[in-house]
Amino acid sequence: YLDTRPPARPTSLSAPVLAPSSTHTLSGTKTPGTSLWINGAQRVALDNATTWSVSVTLVEGDNVFTVVAKDAAGNASSSFTAVVVRDTQPPVITATAPAKTNLSPFPLSGTVDDSLTTVTVGSVTAARAGRSFQADVPLALGSNTLTIRAVSPNGFVSTKTLTILRGSVPTLGTVTPATGAKAIAESPLTIQASATDADGDPIQYQLVVD
């Protein structure tokens, strides 16, 4: 008997996103004659049941569980992902910034340990994508102190302070030949430019030929 058709994707029965303890029970429905696998490991043996239930251990922050069903021939269903958050401690903030930049606003990015934590950088609310965050922070010329504040779903608070220096943008001075000048075809052309930087930083010149 040839069986190449995968079983239907199992379903989840309203697993809460925020769990109160270090263990949690995932449950749902599945096709009869299938086993259930979570994060690549078999957690329910092949049986004819139409429901399933598995106890999982949680770590602090996001816990991601990818669930699939497999039939007797080993065909795997499409998967679904359940994310369960354990929040019993202040968030862990990971973020770095260059010592100096010319950008304003500056795109400050980093991570926290769960996807439900809100993050602000100064007065800017950061955009969230999973555990990552990014905030476009305006900088004044000179030294800027940035305070990252993370508030977890249960109200735990962490802060992290970064210092970043905003420099001035170099000013392009002279360029030769002037715009509109004519050059001789098939002959070398020398282009010269000068620029100044108020901070005295090294200057790099880039030439793009269209």
Side-chain angles (χ1 to χ4, degrees):
Y1 183 84
L2 177 63
D3 178 10
T4 60
R5 179 178 298 174
R9 184 177 69 173
T11 66
S12 174
L13 296 178
S14 62
V17 175
L18 192 61
S21 65
S22 60
T23 59
H24 177 68
T25 299
L26 296 173
S27 60
T29 64
K30 68 179 185 68
T31 303
T34 60
S35 57
L36 195 86
W37 298 66
I38 298 179
N39 290 351
Q42 180 176 294
R43 300 300 304 273
V44 176
L46 189 77
D47 61 20
N48 287 320
T50 57
T51 61
W52 60 273
S53 179
V54 174
S55 178
V56 293
T57 301
L58 304 179
V59 297
E60 187 71 14
D62 276 7
N63 295 263
V64 181
F65 301 102
T66 302
V67 183
V68 300
K70 292 184 180 181
D71 61 19
N75 299 308
S77 71
S78 57
S79 65
F80 77 83
T81 300
V83 178
V84 182
V85 176
R86 186 184 183 206
D87 178 28
T88 61
Q89 300 174 16
V92 177
I93 304 170
T94 302
T96 58
K100 189 174 186 179
T101 181
N102 287 341
L103 298 177
S104 181
F106 177 78
L108 181 69
S109 61
T111 62
V112 288
D113 54 354
D114 75 69
S115 53
L116 300 181
T117 290
T118 59
V119 179
T120 56
V121 183
S123 61
V124 179
T125 300
R128 298 300 315 278
R131 296 174 55 243
S132 301
F133 69 84
Q134 179 172 312
D136 293 331
V137 187
L139 301 179
L141 284 173
S143 182
N144 294 261
T145 300
L146 307 181
T147 300
I148 305 170
R149 187 172 189 267
V151 182
S152 74
N154 287 332
F156 296 102
V157 179
S158 293
T159 60
K160 183 180 180 70
T161 301
L162 300 175
T163 300
I164 184 171
L165 184 67
R166 179 189 166 193
S168 58
V169 177
T171 301
L172 192 62
T174 61
V175 179
T176 58
T179 181
K182 292 184 178 181
I184 300 174
E186 309 302 332
S187 297
L189 177 66
T190 299
I191 297 178
Q192 295 179 316
S194 65
T196 57
D197 183 75
D199 303 321
D201 290 335
I203 294 176
Q204 180 183 28
Y205 295 86
Q206 183 182 53
L207 176 66
V208 179
V209 180
D210 182 358

